[in-house]
Amino acid sequence: MTTPHPPKVAGISPPVPAPAHTSAPAVPTPATAPETAPAAPSASAVSPTPPAPCTLVQDRLAGWVSDLTTLHELTERLARTADLDDALREVLRAGASLVGAGRGLVTLHGDGDAGHPVTVALGLGRADLGHIETIPHGHGQDHNHGRGHGEDHDPGAAAPGPYVRLLDDLPPVGDRSGTAHPDIPGEDDLDPRHREVAARLGYAASYAVPLESPTADLNSESSPPPAAGRIGAAVWLYDEPAEPTRRQRHLAGLYCGYATEHLARLLELTHARETVAALYEELLPTRLPRVPGVRLAVRHRPGPRGGGDWYDALPLPEGALGLAIGGITGSGPEAVAAVGRLRASLRAYAVMEGEDPVAVLSDLELLLRVTEPARAATALFAYCEPAERKVVVAGAGHCSPLIIGPGRAEYVETSLSAPLGMLACWEAPSVEIAPEPGETLLFYSDGLLHRTGDTMDRAFTRLHSAAASVPRAARNDPDAIADHVLRTVLPEDASPADGEDVILLVAHFT
């Protein structure tokens, strides 16, 4: 019977194992050793045994594994951040733990269309930031292969203005190593203003690292740097004279290189959201019309991703007024574009047949099925004749308006109807309202109810209570009514629902 061989590992035959029953190998005796062995030395005279080479390798491997584990945990935490401010705070906290600092700040500068600079601090208040210039001097100059602080900048020269430029003495673009000031009070060639501010803020050393893409060939003159490039810098402050070790610098550089890629994506996403929000605002009315007999006010809080809610108020022939509010499914640029088309179409139908709100919504529903077959929309249109104290309302899947006045606070009883685009042919009866002088109609989006965080029944109850509790002195001011309702329905710390907009349109009849 043959003896089984141990399996191979990665194609390499393992060494032959030692026998099971063997004694420890004897230490070979040199040939020139005398026959009489000297007396054993005392314990105090024994020199320490140097570690075996395998022990050194194991210790080094253990250190690498520990560093990789730390970087993995920190980058995983950073990857879970979806907001730019949260990501910047996470970068500050992680960097502080890597370099052993207690405070710091990080700045993303905005070049060209990248937006305005963004600065977040750790352990520094607003008054502290008032002494620090957070924008690197000349960061937009010679961005391909120059220095972040300019070629002719002298770090020892006095910084212009009353600020201390902590981010000006960074290495050249393409060099991601940091710049350390280990002993600010003891550095003779440092700007005296820097030492003064350091003493006032209570830090004695600093370490600044550029936020630069590790994959960017920024020293190459043949091709421009990628979009990430150097997008900003971070600086950490020490309460006592200190300097990060070589290992800490290496880990901080690796982490900041990964963080640059993540921050660049969030910066681009934030800029895109701001562009969509600006376009969204331009698609809605820039000012409310002035019609005798009625005063208007509106409050609009867009959602984080640019939702599909909209409103409109347009003067109509013979002193009439058209009020509309609604929403379309989806969010983002596509929903914003659909809002623009829907609102423009409703305006045209309102001018032609606004006195019949059912006809206006029927035409809108037909257009929606032809041009936006994959979308559904809610809408409510009100044709107002302030001189006649007459309001005709028709709704398609939208929340009923609320009427408040000295003697009542109640929801208008509109017919229950499906949203536009849900049925083959939409039609629902309209409702006529006769508001008295001093009464107010409230039109609102469903986002106002969703942002409360309550169930729909409780949200409707909260809105009704808020409208009924408007102070008597504010009931003739539509702006005061809108502010009171929003302040009562939505607490200050209410977080917006995903993609939800809040619209409150107030029409007060005089």
Side-chain angles (χ1 to χ4, degrees):
M1 182 174 64
T2 60
T3 303
H5 296 282
K8 293 183 178 182
V9 179
I12 301 176
S13 300
V16 178
H21 302 284
T22 58
S23 59
V27 180
T29 304
T32 58
E35 294 182 2
T36 304
S42 62
S44 59
V46 177
S47 60
T49 305
C54 61
T55 304
L56 295 177
V57 172
Q58 290 176 355
D59 291 343
R60 181 169 297 182
L61 287 177
W64 289 347
V65 171
S66 175
D67 292 344
L68 290 175
T69 302
T70 301
L71 286 176
H72 175 73
E73 293 175 353
L74 295 179
T75 53
E76 282 290 319
R77 289 171 53 181
L78 179 62
R80 287 193 293 267
T81 58
D83 180 75
L84 185 59
D85 287 344
D86 293 341
L88 291 174
R89 292 186 178 91
E90 179 59 34
V91 169
L92 279 178
R93 287 191 293 264
S97 66
L98 289 175
V99 301
R103 293 180 290 172
L105 65 90
V106 60
T107 294
L108 300 183
H109 54 65
D111 284 334
D113 295 332
H116 55 274
V118 180
T119 299
V120 172
L122 174 67
L124 296 172
R126 290 182 178 271
D128 299 333
L129 292 180
H131 300 284
I132 301 173
E133 175 57 71
T134 58
I135 304 175
H137 180 65
H139 67 264
Q141 302 173 359
D142 201 12
H143 202 61
N144 286 343
H145 49 274
R147 293 181 178 268
H149 51 267
E151 292 292 342
D152 56 349
H153 176 73
D154 182 8
Y163 305 106
V164 170
R165 299 183 179 273
L166 292 179
L167 306 178
D168 267 5
D169 55 348
L170 294 174
V173 177
D175 183 358
R176 293 187 294 118
S177 62
T179 301
H181 291 285
D183 187 7
I184 292 176
E187 292 189 34
D188 296 333
D189 57 346
L190 197 63
D191 176 19
R193 173 67 178 167
H194 194 166
R195 286 196 294 268
E196 177 186 346
V197 171
R200 179 175 299 181
L201 301 186
Y203 67 89
S206 66
Y207 179 60
V209 179
L211 295 176
E212 185 174 303
S213 171
T215 59
D217 187 12
L218 298 175
N219 290 323
S220 175
E221 299 183 4
S222 59
S223 60
R230 179 171 288 188
I231 63 173
V235 60
W236 288 277
L237 308 176
Y238 300 85
D239 296 337
E240 301 292 338
E243 184 177 4
T245 63
R246 181 179 179 182
R247 171 177 168 272
Q248 289 175 325
R249 290 184 181 222
H250 179 66
L251 291 179
L254 291 176
Y255 177 80
C256 288
Y258 172 83
T260 300
E261 301 288 344
H262 183 69
L263 293 175
R265 289 190 292 268
L266 289 181
L267 195 63
E268 183 178 359
L269 178 60
T270 301
H271 180 55
R273 287 176 176 174
E274 291 176 352
T275 303
V276 171
L279 176 62
Y280 186 22
E281 290 294 332
E282 290 297 325
L283 291 176
L284 298 179
T286 56
R287 62 178 60 186
L288 298 175
R290 294 184 177 182
V291 177
V294 63
R295 296 169 58 196
L296 302 176
V298 67
R299 296 294 183 269
H300 179 212
R301 295 183 183 178
R305 296 190 303 167
D309 289 347
W310 54 277
Y311 70 94
D312 204 352
L314 67 157
L316 297 175
E318 300 180 359
L321 175 69
L323 299 176
I325 189 169
I328 196 166
T329 56
S331 61
E334 296 83 3
V336 171
V339 164
R341 293 190 292 268
L342 195 68
R343 175 175 171 264
S345 302
L346 183 137
R347 282 196 151 213
Y349 298 143
V351 171
M352 292 187 296
E353 47 193 4
E355 68 278 0
D356 186 358
V358 173
V360 172
L361 294 185
S362 297
D363 294 342
L364 194 64
E365 193 272 340
L366 178 60
L367 179 71
L368 187 69
R369 285 195 290 116
V370 173
T371 61
E372 307 279 349
R375 294 187 184 275
T378 64
L380 187 145
F381 180 73
Y383 177 77
C384 306
E385 293 181 346
E388 302 294 332
R389 306 294 178 192
K390 175 183 176 182
V391 179
V392 183
V393 180
H398 200 81
C399 305
S400 300
L402 184 63
I403 185 169
I404 61 175
R408 60 174 171 171
E410 59 189 18
Y411 288 101
V412 177
E413 293 292 338
T414 57
S415 59
L416 183 63
S417 174
L420 302 176
M422 298 292 291
L423 302 178
C425 182
W426 177 91
E427 186 171 351
S430 59
V431 176
E432 184 172 328
I433 311 171
E436 296 293 333
E439 291 190 326
T440 304
L441 275 173
L442 302 181
F443 304 91
Y444 51 93
S445 65
D446 55 0
L448 176 62
L449 304 175
H450 293 163
R451 282 206 191 184
T452 62
D454 295 332
T455 61
M456 292 301 290
D457 290 340
R458 296 188 63 180
F460 276 114
T461 302
R462 176 182 291 191
L463 177 59
H464 180 273
S465 301
S469 64
V470 174
R472 185 179 300 273
R475 290 183 180 178
N476 292 326
D477 185 355
D479 288 290
I481 294 175
D483 292 335
H484 173 82
V485 171
L486 283 183
R487 186 170 55 250
T488 307
V489 174
L490 299 180
E492 292 294 334
D493 57 347
S495 59
D498 188 19
E500 292 287 348
D501 301 328
V502 169
I503 296 176
L504 180 61
L505 180 60
V506 180
H508 176 73
F509 293 86
T510 59

